[in-house]
Amino acid sequence: MNYHDQHLHTYFSFDADETFENYLKYQPEYFVSTEHFDLKNPAENFQDSIPDYNLYTKKISELEQSFPTKFLKGIELGIVPGQEQEIIDYLSTRPYDLKLLSIHQNGTFDYMDDIVLSKDKIAVTTEYFEAMTHVLTNFHEADILAHFDYGIRRFDFTVKEFAEHFEDQLSTVFKKVIEKEMALELNSKSFVKYQKESLYDYAIALYQNLGGKYFSLGSDAHQAADYQLAFEEMSAKLKAHHVKSLTLFIGKERVQIPL
Ligand SMILES: [Zn+2]
Ligand SMILES: [Zn+2]
């Protein structure tokens, strides 16, 4: 089995227009889109952004008729502390094969919004990792921690500065990821567009020192041209850290794919 991209969006996400068919030009053996789910989303005027489960299921059944690819259902759960139970209830009647866990917003602003630039970066980042810890403590259904660095994409931290302020918090987060046997995502957008490669170097080593073994690659593509973006560079990065395999989530099963 080949590795496939475990983080990408189609028109079922509020911020993407891309079609399944364009991604399927890559002829993947398996395909999974991970559509945005964000309750009271500041990026959408505090409306709930929820991918239409029935339409999504219907579309996937149709694709199964016309493509040799095997399809999985995926979702990227953006969670604010306090929303955990509502999301657990929502998912109880809507089974997904792959669930990403993300912290995108704090109920007031998205961590990518310009407003964060007017705030104290230490305070915002502390709050961000507190939220992540809270959600990981109260929500047990996710397979992958997506872009652990989302909340600091707009900030310039040197690795030294980041480690001084946040190593304890990030260690707490990673211990919970390890305890739940979730995978840590290397996110192409963080890696390439937001130039967080050295932060990932630091985080991979920290996660491994704490016992972390499971890694996932995700392009976070919102258009098909970005499918598996920078996967070679990110794979090389993991090899440099002596990682031997990547983890694929295929429904209830996980499969280790050699690097
Ligand atoms: Zn995200
Ligand atoms: Zn995403």
Side-chain angles (χ1 to χ4, degrees), residues 1-12 18-35 56 59-60 63-64 67-75 97-98 219 221-224 226-228 248-251:
M1 190 191 289
N2 292 318
Y3 196 77
H4 58 262
D5 200 330
Q6 293 195 110
H7 188 162
L8 58 85
H9 301 269
T10 74
Y11 61 88
F12 279 96
E18 191 56 286
T19 63
F20 289 85
E21 289 80 358
N22 279 340
Y23 285 109
L24 293 168
K25 288 175 186 163
Y26 295 97
Q27 303 184 307
E29 186 180 345
Y30 278 86
F31 181 80
V32 61
S33 70
T34 51
E35 310 294 357
Y56 184 69
K59 179 65 184 174
I60 285 174
L63 292 166
E64 278 168 341
F67 289 88
T69 295
K70 297 180 192 74
F71 292 88
L72 302 168
K73 295 191 187 102
I75 192 161
D97 300 301
L98 174 64
S219 68
H222 285 62
Q223 47 186 32
D226 288 340
Y227 182 75
Q228 295 198 329
L248 283 179
F249 294 86
I250 310 286

Side-chain angles (χ1 to χ4, degrees), residues 7 9 36 76 100 102-104 146-147 150 153 187 220 222:
H7 188 162
H9 301 269
H36 279 301
E76 178 180 7
L100 310 186
S102 299
I103 307 298
H104 289 133
H147 47 47
Y150 185 87
R153 276 182 176 173
N187 183 284
D220 211 346
H222 285 62

